[in-house]
C-alpha cells in the first residue's frame, strides 16, 4: 500500500519536475511541494548539531516540504520510535542522522517494507543489507582525524603527549576520527596518547573529563585532540582553571569548525579546527526529490572539508562563518 503511494508519488513528482525542466537544482523547487518528510535528529548536543537542524528545517521551508521533526534527546531508542511514527504517518521519505553505527536493521527494514526511502545524513551505519537506506550524505571522518593528526605532528615536530576527548561511543565520527588520528600518530615515535575518554560531544562533559584528566596528567600533557569543537571549548575552560594557557602551554586541535571555535582561535586559545560541514539541507532534499522522482542517487555523497588554523581566524572569516 505504502510502496504504491511512493510509486504514485514518484510518477507525479517526475511529471512535475519534468514540467519544470527535469531538474531540481536546489531552492524553491516545485518538485517537493506536496511531500511530507520525517527528520529523525539525534538531539542538540553541540553547535554543529544545532546548525544541521537549522539547515534541514530552512531547506524544507524553502522548498515547501512538510517536515516532521523529531529530537531524540540523545537517545537511539527515541530515534527508532520516531522512525516508526513517521512510517505510521505515511511520510514520503525519512531523513535520519543516526546516533550510533549499529542497531538499525529492523526499523529500516520496516521503512523499506513500507516503501519509504531513507536518506542518512552526517553519520554512517552498519547494516546487513545496504539497500535498507538509499544514500549517505556525510563527511569523511577518517580523513578529518588524519588531518588533525597531521596538523599536530607538523606543529610539534612529531613530539606530543596527547589527551584525546572522544565523541559518543559507537558513533561513526568517534570511531573514525580516532582511527584517522591514530593512523598518523603511529608514524611518529614521539607522539603518544596518554589518556583517552569520552566527553559525549558535549561541552560541559568535555570540561568535566578534562578537569579530571588534568589532575592525573597535568604535568605531562602537551596537547589535546578533541573529536569536536564543543569538547575542545570545554577543555579550554578546564585548562584555564588549572592555571595553564590553552593554545600555548597545551596545544588544542579539534573538529567541526563552528563559529565559536574560530572565536577561540582568534583569542589564541584553540590552535586548529578541521571543518565538518553541517549544512546538509540542500543535499538532503536534492536526494529526497531525486529518489521520489525515481532518479538514481549515489550511495555515498562525501561532503568536502578543510583545515583551519589560527592564521585563518581573521575578523572577516569569523564574521562570515555560517555556523
Ligand atoms: O556527526 C557529526 C558530529 O556530531 C559533530 O562533529 C559533532 O559536533 C556532533 O555532535
Amino acid at each position: 500500500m505504502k510502496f504504491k503511494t511512493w510509486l504514485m508519488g514518484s510518477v507525479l513528482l517526475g511529471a512535475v519536475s519534468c514540467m519544470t525542466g527535469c531538474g531540481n537544482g536546489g531552492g524553491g523547487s516545485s518538485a517537493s511541494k506536496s511531500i511530507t518528510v520525517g527528520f529523525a535528529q539525534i538531539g542538540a548536543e553541540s553547535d554543529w548539531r544545532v546548525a544541521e537542524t537549522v539547515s534541514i528545517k530552512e531547506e524544507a521551508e524553502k522548498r515547501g516540504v512538510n517536515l516532521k521533526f523529531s529530537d531524540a534527546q540523545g537517545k537511539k531508542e527515541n530515534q527508532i520510535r520516531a522512525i516508526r511514527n513517521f512510517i505510521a504517518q505515511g511520510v514520503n521519505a525519512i531523513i535520519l542522522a543516526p546516533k550510533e553505527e549499529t542497531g538499525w536493521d529492523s526499523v529500516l527494514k520496516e521503512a523499506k517494507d513500507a516503501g519509504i526511502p531513507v536518506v542518512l545524513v552526517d553519520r554512517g551505519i552498519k547494516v546487513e543489507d545496504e539497500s535498507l537506506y538509499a544514500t549517505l550524505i556525510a563527511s569523511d571522518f577518517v580523513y578529518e582525524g588524519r588531518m588533525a593528526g597531521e596538523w599536530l605532528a607538523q606543529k610539534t615536530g612529531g613530539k606530543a603527549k596527547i589527551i584525546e576527548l572522544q565523541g559518543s561511543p559507537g558513533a561513526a565520527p568517534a570511531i573514525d576520527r580516532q582511527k584517522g588520528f591514530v593512523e598518523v600518530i603511529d608514524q611518529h615515535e614521539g607522539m603518544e596518547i596518554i589518556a583517552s575518554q569520552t566527553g559525549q560531544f558535549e561541552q560541559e562533559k568535555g570540561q568535566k573529563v578534562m578537569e579530571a584528566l588534568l589532575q592525573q596528567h597535568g604535568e605531562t600533557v602537551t596537547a589535546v585532540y578533541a573529536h569536536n569543537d564543543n569538547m575542545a571549548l570545554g577543555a579550554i575552560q578546564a585548562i584555564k582553571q588549572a592555571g595553564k594557557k590553552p593554545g600555548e602551554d597545551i596545544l588544542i586541535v579539534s573538529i567541526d569548525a563552528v563559529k565559536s571555535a574560530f572565536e577561540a582561535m582568534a583569542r589564541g586559545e584553540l590552535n586548529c579546527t578541521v571543518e565538518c560541514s553541517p549544512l546538509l539541507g540542500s543535499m538532503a532534499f536534492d536526494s529526497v526529490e531525486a529518489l521520489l522522482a525515481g532518479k538514481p542517487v549515489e550511495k555515498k555523497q562525501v561532503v568536502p572539508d578543510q583545515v583551519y588554523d589560527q592564521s585563518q581566524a581573521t575578523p572577516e572569516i569569523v564574521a562570515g562563518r555560517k555556523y
Side-chain angles (χ1 to χ4, degrees), residues 16-310:
V16 173
S17 69
C18 277
M19 282 182 337
T20 57
C22 281
N24 46 45
S29 164
S30 59
S32 293
K33 282 228 163 89
S34 54
I35 65 168
T36 297
V37 176
F39 175 31
Q41 177 58 291
I42 297 168
E45 75 281 5
S46 62
D47 293 5
W48 189 100
R49 180 85 31 220
V50 172
E52 184 192 52
T53 297
V54 169
S55 171
I56 303 263
K57 283 186 174 175
E58 282 183 356
E59 194 64 29
E61 202 180 331
K62 202 160 124 193
R63 297 185 188 216
V65 171
N66 174 26
L67 186 74
K68 294 190 179 293
F69 175 72
S70 164
D71 176 335
Q73 313 276 322
K75 295 199 170 81
K76 185 171 80 179
E77 314 85 82
N78 290 347
Q79 287 196 290
I80 291 174
R81 205 169 300 130
I83 294 170
R84 293 209 164 106
N85 280 336
F86 294 149
I87 296 170
Q89 290 171 58
V91 298
N92 299 94
I94 291 171
I95 299 174
L96 167 65
K99 175 158 191 219
E100 287 159 24
E101 277 191 338
T102 56
W104 303 100
D105 297 71
S106 304
V107 74
L108 293 191
K109 169 105 177 28
E110 290 166 37
K112 189 182 177 188
D113 290 346
I116 301 171
V118 173
V119 170
L120 300 179
V121 286
D122 139 39
R123 296 182 180 180
I125 57 174
K126 288 200 160 70
V127 273
E128 291 274 311
D129 172 6
E130 295 257 305
S131 78
L132 293 180
Y133 66 90
T135 183
L136 163 65
I137 301 165
S139 292
D140 182 339
F141 299 135
V142 177
Y143 170 83
E144 291 172 349
R146 265 189 222 127
M147 290 300 101
E150 269 165 25
W151 180 87
L152 191 61
Q154 212 203 5
K155 181 78 181 170
T156 61
K159 287 194 184 71
K161 302 272 182 217
I162 306 156
I163 286 181
E164 179 188 34
L165 297 177
Q166 294 179 35
S168 46
I175 296 165
D176 291 350
R177 286 173 183 168
Q178 180 173 63
K179 185 170 179 249
F181 186 79
V182 168
E183 264 176 28
V184 174
I185 68 156
D186 275 355
Q187 293 163 19
H188 300 271
E189 264 185 28
M191 295 181 89
E192 183 197 349
I193 296 178
I194 54 171
S196 181
Q197 237 175 274
T198 179
Q200 304 281 357
F201 285 125
E202 293 173 32
Q203 189 155 329
E204 223 182 281
K205 289 194 179 139
Q207 180 173 341
K208 290 239 150 60
V209 169
M210 191 64 197
E211 281 166 8
L213 291 176
L214 278 172
Q215 308 243 341
Q216 283 174 267
H217 304 282
E219 296 307 311
T220 36
V221 58
T222 62
V224 170
Y225 167 47
H227 289 190
N228 82 344
D229 287 339
N230 282 96
M231 291 190 295
L233 294 170
I236 286 170
Q237 277 312 112
I239 292 167
K240 282 199 220 169
Q241 280 167 22
K244 294 193 183 229
K245 280 196 177 151
E248 287 181 32
D249 297 333
I250 299 176
L251 298 176
I252 307 172
V253 54
S254 61
I255 296 176
D256 276 357
V258 295
K259 195 171 190 145
S260 47
F262 275 81
E263 288 162 353
M265 286 203 294
R267 291 194 300 272
E269 295 178 344
L270 177 72
N271 301 88
C272 173
T273 182
V274 180
E275 188 176 45
C276 175
S277 178
L279 307 179
L280 306 178
S282 162
M283 287 173 85
F285 286 104
D286 280 351
S287 295
V288 166
E289 288 183 7
L291 289 162
L292 295 180
K295 293 180 187 167
V297 171
E298 290 289 328
K299 194 75 185 178
K300 179 149 192 206
Q301 303 178 59
V302 180
V303 183
D305 299 316
Q306 71 178 91
V307 181
Y308 292 93
D309 65 13
Q310 289 180 349

